[in-house]
Amino acid sequence: MKRIYFFWLISLLCIAAGGSSQAETTLEKIDKSGILTIGTRRGSPPFAYINQNNDWVGFSIELVEKAVLPALSKKLNKQIKLEKKESTPQTRIPLLTANSVDLIAETMTDTQARRDSVDFTLTFFVTGAQFLVKKGSPIKGLQTIANRRVAAQQGSTNARIVRERVPTAKLLEFPDQPAAFQALAQGQVQAYTNDGIQLAGLRAKAPKPDDWAVVGDFFSYEPYGMAMRKNDSDFRQAVNVGLMDAISTGRYFEIYEKWFGPKGEVPYPLSAETKRFLQMQVVPK
Amino acid sequence: MTYQFSWTVLWSGQTGAWLLQGILVTLQISVLGWLAAVALGIISGAFRTVPIAVLRWLAVCYVEFFRNVPLLVWMFFWYFGMPPLLPEAMREWLLDHGAEFWAAVCALGVYHGARFSEVIRAGILSIPKTQFEAAVSTGLTVLQAYRLIIVPIALRLIVPPATNETLNLLKNSSVALTIGVAELTFQTRQIETYTAKAFEALAAGTIIYLALCLAIATIMSRVERRVAIPGMIVRGQSSEF
């Protein structure tokens, strides 16, 4: 019996050690393979999703293709290819740590706790938590959800805020958007909270968008960043330079317009304040 | 690249309480699901062997339908599919009182019930046919023969595979997180959300599941030794755990 425990301890330790013995920097890895591997989502429109033509696209992905890849190609003096892998809130940090992906480009909020485990690029999108409800619902925002059944996505920052600020709300956490939306559509819950932009995306993709409403003031601040392994500042610098170039040359705003403009997938106008904030992240050359 | 392990996240702040809560919920749905599964398993396992065609056919339908549909689908069915069939007031009441918990219990119960049924059928079939004939010839009805003789013997024979099934049930209870039940796996994910320490949270979950399963296996091996029928299942004590 003792030996079995011992065997388990050893194998666990091996798994743990395997993750941390790595000398190569990310730039060296990319230089060697010629491939940048990103972790992204299949079901988070319009940031990263499978579209009607079965292509894996989205704002975050296009940002990597048009801003990050050129910067990396320039830095390493060779054409870098992109490879996409599915990541979820639960797997994205382990995927990075295990070297399975080099960059998380989806809808990951930059937080102080996460910065203990990974590093983030500059902020590439700003949103805040809101509620998706059936049109005409009495729920109007965070003040009106006490004693109501509210869905959230597991592993999201919003669930945490609801739990802390309105402990009387009955919070139900689902692993993905489709399950949470199904629960809302069936009346299992009366509201679904997530980042405002994701709710707008979900509403736009719903069979009858007009049946749904995104309500409430932002009750959280959700700056999206791309995450990478910690203490790899050369790679971080290369990615940030790509993003800064895209913002200063205006290419970022073209991509933004394509996805979030009036004719985009999910109309979500850029406020003057946010635009200014994005521009001020660009440091001089 | 170095990952900084910090195991203290597992007991600092609220995380310890979350893990305990998770263990509690996992045990609750597992125990309730297990009771339902064993009850369903005994009934349908016995039905499959009785000399009454309708009952056999009924049990075959139950087993083949419920064990061949993925557990995940049963979770969704009991949570999303059942409530709309209930009257409005009842549905609202249920949804306000942990519908996801009972949906998980039902899903685990019917799914593992179908699997237990096969275990129990195997146990019954391993009893010599003459035993049943002898029981009936003493004047017992089929029901009495099953209730008093066949099923009790079968239950004493099937402890090893039933242990297997029980361990599966406990681990499968983690599927309940897909419908929002805050069980152990759910809580380890929650710890990951709050602390961004994925490896520590996963390791804690793994060790807790392992400990729970080892505890069950130990208890069941005691039970196995105690209820074993000499000559039918015991073959020396070589399988000492």
Side-chain angles (χ1 to χ4, degrees):
Chain A
M1 198 54 235
K2 244 181 198 150
R3 211 178 298 163
I4 296 178
Y5 278 123
F6 192 66
F7 167 78
W8 253 94
L9 260 176
I10 293 289
S11 39
L12 258 177
L13 281 175
C14 288
I15 297 166
S20 56
S21 60
Q22 171 56 242
E24 199 178 42
T25 69
T26 306
L27 275 182
E28 283 165 3
K29 181 180 170 228
I30 295 170
D31 191 25
K32 212 189 282 171
S33 63
I35 295 168
L36 169 71
T37 314
I38 61 167
T40 188
R41 306 294 295 267
R42 283 194 168 88
S44 282
F47 289 91
Y49 67 105
I50 306 282
N51 70 7
Q52 283 146 343
N53 304 329
N54 219 9
D55 293 324
W56 200 349
V57 296
F59 177 72
S60 301
I61 293 174
E62 189 162 348
L63 214 51
V64 171
E65 283 168 348
K66 300 217 170 126
V68 176
L69 273 189
L72 282 175
S73 298
K74 203 171 139 198
K75 169 110 188 162
L76 298 170
N77 254 327
K78 67 199 259 193
Q79 200 57 41
I80 303 296
K81 276 189 295 197
L82 184 67
E83 199 180 297
K84 290 170 280 214
K85 281 189 183 169
E86 170 80 359
S87 65
T88 66
Q90 288 78 38
T91 60
R92 52 199 177 190
I93 291 177
L95 279 174
L96 273 181
T97 316
N99 275 322
S100 300
V101 302
D102 304 317
L103 189 69
I104 296 292
E106 31 145 310
T107 58
M108 188 172 183
T109 304
D110 186 352
T111 68
Q112 293 179 20
R114 285 175 185 166
R115 282 188 190 193
D116 283 339
S117 301
V118 291
D119 280 343
F120 281 90
T121 60
L122 44 84
T123 299
F124 70 89
F125 196 90
V126 175
T127 182
Q130 287 177 292
F131 294 97
L132 183 68
V133 294
K134 272 207 174 94
K135 196 152 241 176
S137 158
I139 294 175
K140 299 272 179 271
L142 198 62
Q143 302 74 29
T144 48
I145 58 160
N147 297 315
R148 298 202 187 261
R149 301 186 301 266
V150 178
Q153 188 166 351
Q154 274 167 25
S156 68
T157 35
N158 323 345
R160 174 179 181 169
I161 294 167
V162 168
R163 193 176 291 114
E164 281 164 6
R165 303 246 299 259
V166 192
T168 54
K170 293 190 184 76
L171 191 66
L172 271 167
E173 295 178 60
F174 293 92
D176 51 26
Q177 300 252 34
F181 186 69
Q182 181 68 27
L184 178 65
Q186 290 213 340
Q188 249 80 358
V189 294
Q190 290 136 333
Y192 169 37
T193 179
N194 206 329
D195 301 346
I197 180 60
Q198 300 210 36
L199 296 178
L202 203 57
R203 179 176 176 270
K205 293 267 171 280
K208 285 188 198 149
D210 290 337
D211 289 356
W212 308 100
V214 177
V215 298
D217 297 327
F218 285 168
F219 65 84
S220 69
Y221 168 52
E222 310 280 342
Y224 289 175
M226 296 181 192
M228 58 196 64
R229 279 179 289 278
K230 220 170 154 59
N231 300 328
D232 202 339
S233 56
D234 288 343
F235 177 59
R236 180 160 180 251
Q237 163 70 354
V239 176
N240 271 341
V241 163
L243 290 173
M244 284 193 268
D245 277 353
I247 293 171
S248 59
T249 58
R251 202 164 44 215
Y252 172 91
F253 299 103
E254 285 165 23
I255 302 172
Y256 190 97
E257 201 60 18
K258 175 178 163 191
W259 295 98
F260 302 107
K263 287 189 195 120
E265 288 289 313
V266 180
Y268 200 75
L270 191 63
S271 69
E273 208 183 358
T274 309
K275 186 166 185 177
R276 193 83 199 102
F277 164 72
L278 287 168
Q279 285 166 334
M280 286 179 78
Q281 291 191 101
V282 180
V283 297
K285 288 208 170 171
Chain B
M1 198 287 303
T2 46
Y3 183 86
Q4 296 293 326
F5 279 92
S6 95
W7 295 98
T8 49
V9 297
L10 295 178
W11 47 87
S12 54
Q14 296 167 281
T15 48
W18 285 342
L19 280 177
L20 284 179
Q21 244 167 21
I23 295 172
L24 204 65
V25 174
T26 288
L27 287 176
Q28 281 169 344
I29 53 175
S30 300
V31 168
L32 290 170
W34 187 84
L35 290 174
V38 169
L40 282 169
I42 291 174
I43 294 170
S44 87
F47 275 14
R48 287 203 66 171
T49 60
V50 292
I52 302 166
V54 181
L55 293 183
R56 280 205 306 271
W57 181 79
L58 208 71
V60 169
C61 288
Y62 164 70
V63 169
E64 296 305 340
F65 186 55
F66 281 82
R67 75 170 173 182
N68 290 322
V69 171
L71 179 59
L72 182 66
V73 175
W74 286 123
M75 289 282 172
F76 285 148
F77 170 79
W78 288 102
Y79 187 58
F80 291 119
M82 271 309 275
L85 304 177
L86 299 171
E88 172 81 27
M90 202 171 153
R91 185 173 71 217
E92 282 299 307
W93 184 88
L94 199 63
L95 290 174
D96 275 332
H97 293 82
E100 72 281 0
F101 178 89
W102 295 108
V105 169
C106 290
L108 281 173
V110 296
Y111 177 79
H112 281 280
R115 297 172 53 106
F116 263 115
S117 164
E118 286 298 278
V119 170
I120 286 159
R121 182 169 75 100
I124 292 175
L125 292 180
S126 74
I127 303 170
K129 200 173 185 336
T130 48
Q131 184 95 53
F132 176 71
E133 289 163 358
V136 174
S137 67
T138 60
L140 295 177
T141 63
V142 172
L143 180 69
Q144 281 171 326
Y146 266 84
R147 190 165 58 87
L148 301 171
I149 295 167
I150 302 297
V151 170
I153 294 176
L155 289 181
R156 292 172 70 173
L157 298 178
I158 51 120
V159 177
T163 307
N164 221 357
E165 221 28 74
T166 305
L167 298 178
N168 270 343
L169 187 147
L170 181 90
K171 286 175 283 182
N172 280 347
S173 69
S174 64
V175 178
L177 74 87
T178 53
I179 54 170
V181 179
E183 45 70 70
L184 183 56
T185 312
F186 179 99
Q187 298 290 8
T188 61
R189 288 178 168 204
Q190 172 142 307
I191 292 168
E192 197 269 321
T193 311
Y194 274 62
T195 62
K197 293 288 177 196
F199 288 109
E200 289 86 338
L202 269 173
T206 308
I207 289 169
I208 292 171
Y209 275 112
L210 185 72
L212 289 178
C213 287
L214 283 174
I216 292 174
T218 311
I219 294 169
M220 291 295 263
S221 77
R222 290 262 160 79
V223 172
E224 184 186 331
R225 242 172 298 157
R226 178 158 292 191
V227 304
I229 302 170
M232 287 195 85
I233 178 166
V234 184
R235 192 155 292 153
Q237 286 297 334
S238 57
S239 61
E240 189 84 32
F241 192 76

